[in-house]
């Protein structure tokens, strides 16, 4: 199923046209305007810092760190940054386009049904997640690339290449930390080789790879600064380096929504020009709210373990649904889950679309389409025409819960295997 875009198929042509248009959104302001804003200038700055031996984690007085990612991310940015801003932006756009295509390829290839969808069904997940894809190009964020890496890792895992799979999981984590949540899953599923590979390669990417470029001692010092600023800092005012965003409407993680519902925190705090707004139904202290987050997370984790089939009863179908749930949980378990983080729903949505299209039970097909439609409507509430208050209440978080719930239902209620399906499964391919 892994193919190049085909100019004879209209969905593939639309993908190429959309990729060109999204790349133009990046390049036109840089060439003919005042320069591309958002994170692109920061990526160029980080690459130049590596090239010229400058500090990556300089911190202005009473301000956040300049660069919020681990050192390997900056080293990767340095390579295209050497050629200038425009080549860097072209490179990042090309990487996003390739990641978009490969995400669709892997998502359908690992749907667990072993069927090749028609061109329009193949393109449907890309259509319904286009707003998230736009954010990837417009902001220059790597979440789509990380998704493609994680899918490639699971594809390698399913093809019995656990050490290569672990290296992909480690590379994604070395670029942006939240994919590290896959490690407990690998341990629970006793994927020992892949888990060990992830740990080994993570050490390589964090300590060995930067050493020739930054120097071993300097790299260790930078890792400590980054860890203390991003991972080791947490208080009632916020965590990481985005205190003004942690509890605001832009964050739809389980942590943020729980705190907004249980504490009197202003969800407009990201914009001082807006009047304070609150949505809490309880008025708890910070510590108690954190215990509620722990309880909710524990309940979700135990529930996930509970619905996982035993190893002897897993099928390609159940594995796809299981990984889809995992991606849902990894998205909302990240402490900061902004709008563009939900591009990770691409794979779970693809799995459900194939269930809705191919399940032999009419009622199940209809119910799955309804679940997808409801989740899509909830995600549409993030569009600029709607008030931010809807995001404060977690429209994307609820959509993610709905998608995960549908996948749970499919795991618990697999279709019966008919004689015809057995014959089809045994047919030579």
């Amino acid at each position: 199923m892994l193919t190049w875009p085909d100019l004879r198929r209209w969905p593939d042509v639309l993908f190429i046209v959309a990729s060109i248009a999204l790349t133009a959104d990046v390049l036109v302001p840089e060439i003919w305007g005042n320069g591309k804003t958002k994170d692109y200038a920061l990526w160029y700055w980080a690459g130049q810092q590596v090239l010229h031996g400058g500090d990556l984690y300089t911190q202005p007085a009473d301000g956040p760190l300049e660069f919020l990612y681990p050192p390997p991310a900056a080293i990767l940015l340095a390579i295209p940054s050497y050629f200038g801003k425009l080549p860097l932006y072209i490179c990042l756009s090309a990487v996003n386009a390739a990641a978009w295509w490969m995400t669709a390829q892997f998502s359908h290839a690992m749907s667990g049904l072993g069927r090749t969808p028609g061109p329009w069904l193949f393109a449907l997940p890309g259509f319904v997640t286009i707003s998230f894809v736009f954010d990837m190009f417009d902001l220059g964020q790597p979440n789509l690339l990380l998704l493609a890496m994680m899918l490639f890792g699971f594809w390698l895992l399913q093809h019995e290449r656990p050490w290569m799979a672990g290296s992909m999981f480690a590379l994604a984590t070395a670029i942006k930390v939240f994919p590290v949540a896959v490690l407990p899953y690998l341990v629970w599923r006793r994927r020992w080789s892949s888990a060990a590979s992830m740990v080994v390669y993570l050490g390589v990417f964090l300590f060995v790879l930067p050493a020739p470029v930054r120097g071993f001692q300097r790299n260790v010092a930078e890792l400590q600064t980054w860890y203390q600023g991003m991972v080791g800092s947490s208080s009632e005012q916020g965590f990481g380096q985005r205190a003004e965003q942690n509890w605001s409407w832009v964050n739809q993680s389980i942590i943020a929504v729980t705190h907004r519902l249980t504490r009197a925190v202003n969800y407009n705090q990201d914009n001082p020009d807006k009047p304070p707004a609150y949505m809490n139904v309880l008025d708890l202290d910070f510590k108690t709210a954190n215990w509620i987050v722990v309880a909710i997370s524990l309940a979700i984790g135990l529930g996930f373990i509970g619905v996982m089939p035993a190893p002897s009863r897993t099928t390609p179908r159940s594995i796809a649904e299981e990984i889809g749930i995992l991606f849902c949980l990894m998205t909302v378990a990240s402490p900061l889950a902004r709008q563009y983080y939900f591009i990770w729903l691409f794979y779970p949505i693809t799995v459900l679309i194939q269930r809705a299209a191919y399940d032999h039970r009419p009622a199940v097909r209809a119910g799955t389409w309804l679940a997808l439609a409801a989740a899509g409507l909830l995600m549409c509430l993030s569009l600029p025409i709607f008030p931010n208050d809807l995001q404060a209440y977690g429209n994307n978080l609820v959509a993610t819960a709905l998608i995960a719930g549908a996948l749970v239902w499919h795991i618990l209620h697999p279709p019966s295997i008919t004689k015809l399906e057995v014959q089809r499964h045994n047919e030579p391919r």
Side-chain angles (χ1 to χ4, degrees):
M1 291 182 63
L2 304 181
T3 62
W4 292 93
D6 189 343
L7 294 178
R8 295 170 296 180
R9 300 195 307 175
W10 278 106
D12 293 17
V13 173
L14 288 177
F15 161 77
I16 295 172
V17 171
S19 297
I20 293 172
L22 291 169
T23 302
D25 173 69
V26 177
L27 300 183
V28 169
E30 182 63 30
I31 299 173
W32 291 289
N34 296 322
K36 182 61 181 174
T37 57
K38 308 298 171 60
D39 290 326
Y40 281 93
L42 176 61
W43 305 150
Y44 179 72
W45 175 87
Q48 290 295 311
Q49 291 296 101
V50 171
L51 291 172
H52 296 96
D55 292 330
L56 280 173
Y57 301 103
T58 56
Q59 185 169 8
D62 299 324
L65 297 175
E66 292 284 354
F67 190 66
L68 306 181
Y69 296 81
I75 292 172
L76 293 174
L77 288 167
I79 300 171
S81 295
Y82 174 82
F83 301 97
K85 274 189 177 182
L86 200 59
L88 170 66
Y89 297 176
I90 292 173
C91 178
L92 293 177
S93 298
V95 166
N96 267 327
W100 189 16
W101 178 257
M102 293 310 301
T103 291
Q105 294 279 300
F106 284 126
S107 294
H108 284 288
M110 297 193 301
S111 67
L113 299 188
R115 302 185 63 157
T116 302
W120 292 107
L121 190 66
F122 177 88
L124 185 56
F127 289 144
V128 299
T129 58
I130 189 64
S131 64
F132 303 133
V133 175
F134 170 79
D135 285 342
M136 294 300 101
F137 281 83
D138 187 51
L139 300 173
Q141 280 291 322
N143 291 56
L144 182 56
L145 173 63
L146 302 181
L147 173 58
M149 287 179 176
M150 297 298 289
L151 287 170
F152 185 34
F154 278 107
W155 187 83
L156 290 167
L157 195 61
Q158 291 178 13
H159 288 76
E160 302 303 325
R161 299 173 67 180
W163 276 87
M164 283 292 293
S167 70
M168 294 309 301
F169 299 146
L171 181 58
T173 303
I175 294 173
K176 199 169 185 176
V177 179
F178 77 95
V180 73
V182 75
L183 183 59
Y185 171 81
L186 296 174
V187 172
W188 180 261
R189 273 307 191 188
R190 299 181 181 180
R191 294 284 192 170
W192 305 119
S193 296
S194 186
S197 170
M198 182 177 175
V199 173
V200 169
Y201 275 105
L202 191 57
V204 170
F205 292 136
L206 291 178
F207 294 97
V208 179
L209 176 65
V213 181
R214 305 292 287 171
F216 182 78
Q217 294 295 337
R218 183 179 189 182
N219 178 63
V220 170
E222 288 184 331
L223 276 173
Q224 291 176 339
T225 302
W226 168 81
Y227 181 86
Q228 292 170 358
M230 290 300 300
V231 182
S233 62
S234 178
S235 68
E236 190 169 354
Q237 284 68 43
F239 45 84
Q241 296 290 308
R242 299 283 178 86
E244 75 283 358
Q245 295 183 10
N246 291 161
W247 312 127
S248 73
W249 64 271
V250 301
N251 188 1
Q252 294 199 47
S253 67
I254 293 174
I255 295 173
V257 174
T258 301
H259 274 267
R260 289 199 294 267
L261 287 171
T262 58
R263 293 199 299 128
V265 291
N266 170 25
Y267 64 75
N268 279 336
Q269 63 185 243
D270 65 305
N271 188 347
D273 296 330
K274 287 187 176 181
Y278 304 89
M279 53 178 275
N280 58 302
V281 295
L282 300 173
D283 192 10
L284 305 177
D285 58 77
F286 177 68
K287 184 177 181 180
T288 305
N290 278 336
W291 279 114
I292 293 177
V293 171
V294 170
I296 292 172
S297 301
L298 184 62
I300 293 173
L302 291 175
F304 182 36
I305 291 173
V307 301
M308 286 185 192
S312 60
R313 294 190 295 110
T314 58
T315 64
R317 183 187 186 100
S318 71
I319 290 172
E321 292 154 359
E322 184 178 298
I323 296 173
I325 297 171
L326 175 66
F327 278 24
C328 289
L329 299 184
M330 290 174 68
T331 301
V332 297
S334 174
L336 183 61
R338 298 189 61 174
Q339 166 79 359
Y340 56 82
Y341 273 65
F342 292 88
I343 186 61
W344 275 46
L345 298 182
F346 193 111
Y347 177 67
I349 288 173
T350 302
V351 173
L352 285 179
I353 284 175
Q354 290 222 10
R355 302 298 180 270
Y358 297 128
D359 198 292
H360 65 76
R361 298 165 290 183
V364 173
R365 291 200 304 271
T368 306
W369 282 123
L370 285 174
L372 284 166
L377 290 174
L378 283 167
M379 290 188 290
C380 284
L381 298 178
S382 295
L383 295 174
I385 60 174
F386 296 103
N388 296 336
D389 306 70
L390 298 174
Q391 295 186 62
Y393 280 91
N395 64 300
N396 284 334
L397 176 61
V398 177
T400 304
L402 188 58
I403 291 170
L407 290 169
V408 167
W409 191 93
H410 278 278
I411 284 184
L412 297 177
H413 302 87
S416 58
I417 302 177
T418 65
K419 184 177 180 180
L420 177 61
E421 288 174 320
V422 172
Q423 291 174 348
R424 182 183 297 167
H425 178 73
N426 292 329
E427 287 176 356
R429 303 194 179 195

